[in-house]
Amino acid sequence: MPAPWLQHLRDLAGEDGFLEPAGPDNLALYLAGGADLLVCFADLTSPCQRSIGDHPMAWRTAWQSGWSLLVLISETNGWFREASLWEWLDARADEAFFENYDRVLFYGSGPGAHAACAFSAAAPGISVLALSPVATLDPELAGWDNRWPEMRRSDFRSRYGYGPDMLCAAAAATVIFDPEVPEDAMHSALYHKSFVQRLKMPGAGRSPERLLADCAILEPLLQAAMSGCLTPAYFARLWRQRRNSSAWLQSRAARAAGSEQPCREALMLAQALALDPDQPRLQRRYALLTGRSGEEMAEARSRWKAPQS
């Protein structure tokens, strides 16, 4: 990790927190706050792509909510499968670190979602919020998932390996996934314990965290999960806000194009352009589908109102 980012993380930790190695390939960042603790699993293999101060939404939510924050940071994109990290977590469990808080929420997306589920075993009684978690990448159990061939030799059989089993010590868990991504739907089906809440977000794609942040859904989602108020009805109300996201509308337009549904594609493009007109590529595609001139397109967009959340 570049020296400026390391120094930035040290500055964030301050005197009351810490930044320390959690093995050779991971860092642990702790920021002291209130009586609730958010534990995040983050892949910052390319921090140079972020500017100093451009923090993940989950971090900002913790600060704004007055929570304490613990972030396990991977520097190698190794899915947190290093035994040294497991030993670091074991040490925190032995010293009752997680028991010092009234409420603890483990959160992650993608690789971090598997980690949030798997490592919840180190803190019995906590809650988990996982976006598109895999259950395992063991080829014998999930040979149908070919998205990460470089992880096939990683250890998903020993400690903290099979996510659904590791969740058994959690008080509550919510798994959110896109049913239109076949691999994510199959993994989510393996999280079938009675205390696991499975919520669907069609069209979120393979980067659900980015979409939820873009739709202003991630912050209230984290707050509801921390407070124990995340219900299917509440999530459904939040998920309606996707209709105000140009990114989500464009993804639906692309899906309609792949399904040869020109009318639906044109409708999605019209709504996306109403939210963000300055997109020449979308304008050209919409004009091709509808045969409308630029003036006609502008008039149509002016009549369409974005749905209210």
Side-chain angles (χ1 to χ4, degrees), residues 208-262:
E209 185 177 45
R210 185 180 309 168
L211 176 63
L212 292 177
D214 180 62
C215 298
I217 295 174
L218 186 57
E219 181 176 353
L221 189 65
L222 287 165
Q223 291 171 338
M226 178 69 82
S227 64
C229 298
L230 180 53
T231 64
Y234 180 69
F235 177 73
R237 290 197 296 272
L238 289 178
W239 184 232
R240 292 193 192 103
Q241 296 177 215
R242 72 195 184 279
R243 298 175 296 177
N244 293 326
S245 166
S246 178
W248 182 82
L249 290 166
Q250 289 181 55
S251 73
R252 304 313 289 171
R255 181 176 177 83
S259 302
E260 298 183 353
Q261 297 176 306

Side-chain angles (χ1 to χ4, degrees), residues 128-163:
V128 176
L129 175 61
L131 306 182
S132 300
V134 304
T136 177
L137 290 181
D138 183 345
E140 291 192 8
L141 297 177
W144 35 266
D145 192 343
N146 298 315
R147 292 177 292 179
W148 298 280
E150 71 280 4
M151 295 301 299
R152 287 185 174 275
R153 295 186 179 182
S154 297
D155 179 9
F156 282 88
R157 295 189 178 185
S158 58
R159 304 193 61 225
Y160 302 119
Y162 189 61

